[in-house]
Amino acid sequence: YADDGSKIPNLKKEIVASIEKTAGKTTPEDIFDYIYAVLYSPSYREKYKEFLKIDFPRVPYPNDKKQFASLALLGKELRELHLLESPKVRKFITSYPESGSNAIEKISYKDEKVYINAEQYFGGVPEVAWNFYIGGYQPAQKWLKDRKGRTLTSEEIEHYQKMIVALVETDRIMKEIDKETWLTPVSLPWLFPLVALRLSKTAQTWSEPFWTIPPPEETNIIIVPVPTLVRCCTHPQFSKKAYNVYMRLSSLEKTDLL
């Protein structure tokens, strides 16, 4: 925020300009929501999980205005759900039918019921919500375990039921995100930092764990077999002598880095 209380975008102007060439005039919030949606794509996480373990995520630019708008809208839904600001979280899909001490004693899950003690439970909790992971945690389980030995207030009972709605909706929206065909070969150059070797065509070697597009006939670039083998192909947006190639390696011997 500026001294006068106005907001100042914390985005690189060149990146915003590149996005707006494709998506048209946008806002910092729209860009954030677009990124949020991409990072919640199951296929993105699965395809690039090895890269995500060792470096910051690389987010592809949108392919067109429609795609950007669709993903930004889904990202906004996710953001509001995770902040519990969406009106949907107030439409409970669970129940808390039994009266009692509200003390969290022994936590268990059976037949869509989350028991907090011998008598009391949250009913109608879908298995997808109970087992859902965000990062390395299962929120529906961790939230209760962190409060074991405590007595839940009425506000906390409502909060937990809002969480369950948010988790179920997150699972639904993640499937919707994957329906957007945003991950195309045109997007790939922006996804990763890479290290490449210059080899003759007769010495080319191609690995297949991530990409399925065939190497172009004029390509004379391969990716070194580092912890996870990946491959790189030339692209019209890359000049022949100017490739973005950088990745941490433990060692390189007799290599001709581009």
Side-chain angles (χ1 to χ4, degrees):
Y1 286 90
D3 293 337
D4 60 1
S6 61
K7 293 182 180 179
I8 301 175
N10 189 25
L11 293 170
K12 192 174 181 179
K13 293 180 180 179
E14 291 82 0
I15 293 177
V16 174
S18 295
I19 292 174
E20 291 187 340
K21 285 180 181 178
T22 302
K25 189 66 177 176
T26 186
T27 67
E29 289 80 6
D30 288 338
I31 294 174
F32 177 89
D33 292 337
Y34 168 81
I35 295 171
Y36 204 59
V38 169
L39 297 182
Y40 266 89
S41 164
S43 61
Y44 171 90
R45 293 179 174 188
E46 178 61 26
K47 284 180 180 290
Y48 309 117
K49 60 184 178 183
E50 296 302 323
F51 286 96
L52 295 172
K53 290 177 183 178
I54 62 174
D55 207 346
F56 293 110
R58 300 299 199 263
V59 179
Y61 285 86
N63 291 329
D64 52 49
K65 186 175 183 178
K66 180 181 178 182
Q67 181 191 68
F68 178 83
S70 297
L71 287 173
L73 184 60
L74 291 170
K76 180 182 179 182
E77 283 191 70
L78 279 176
R79 171 170 55 83
E80 291 179 344
L81 283 166
H82 295 169
L83 293 173
L84 300 183
E85 293 177 351
S86 170
K88 289 182 179 180
V89 300
R90 293 191 288 272
K91 298 177 181 179
F92 298 160
I93 60 174
T94 53
S95 61
Y96 190 72
E98 304 296 333
S99 58
S101 65
N102 297 335
I104 301 180
E105 298 169 355
K106 184 178 180 180
I107 303 165
S108 62
Y109 179 81
K110 184 180 180 181
D111 299 329
E112 295 196 339
K113 295 178 180 178
V114 177
Y115 286 87
I116 63 170
N117 54 48
E119 296 82 24
Q120 292 179 287
Y121 62 87
F122 292 94
V125 178
E127 187 174 351
V128 67
W130 179 246
N131 292 321
F132 196 90
Y133 274 92
I134 293 182
Y137 298 104
Q138 294 169 293
Q141 299 182 35
K142 186 177 186 301
W143 191 89
L144 292 173
K145 291 175 182 177
D146 287 347
R147 289 160 179 77
K148 191 172 182 179
R150 288 176 45 185
T151 298
L152 294 179
T153 65
S154 57
E155 290 79 10
E156 288 175 321
I157 292 169
E158 288 187 2
H159 181 89
Y160 188 76
Q161 294 185 87
K162 290 179 181 179
M163 281 177 52
I164 299 302
V165 176
L167 292 171
V168 171
E169 284 296 300
T170 297
D171 180 71
R172 177 188 65 80
I173 293 171
M174 287 175 72
K175 293 181 175 70
E176 290 294 317
I177 291 170
D178 259 11
K179 292 179 182 178
E180 296 293 330
T181 56
W182 58 270
L183 191 58
T184 67
V186 174
S187 301
L188 289 175
W190 289 295
L191 287 177
F192 318 117
L194 301 170
V195 169
L197 303 181
R198 187 190 303 276
L199 297 180
S200 66
K201 291 183 181 180
T202 57
Q204 286 182 17
T205 304
W206 297 88
S207 58
E208 293 288 339
F210 294 109
W211 301 350
T212 57
I213 52 177
E217 293 182 1
E218 298 302 318
T219 299
N220 66 342
I221 306 300
I222 70 165
I223 298 303
V224 294
V226 290
T228 300
L229 287 175
V230 294
R231 66 176 181 171
C232 176
C233 68
T234 55
H235 188 278
Q237 290 172 320
F238 283 31
S239 69
K240 291 184 178 179
K241 295 184 179 179
Y243 292 85
N244 290 325
V245 285
Y246 29 76
M247 181 175 177
R248 294 192 299 272
L249 289 179
S250 57
S251 64
L252 282 175
E253 296 181 3
K254 298 180 181 179
T255 60
D256 179 17
L257 293 183
L258 294 173

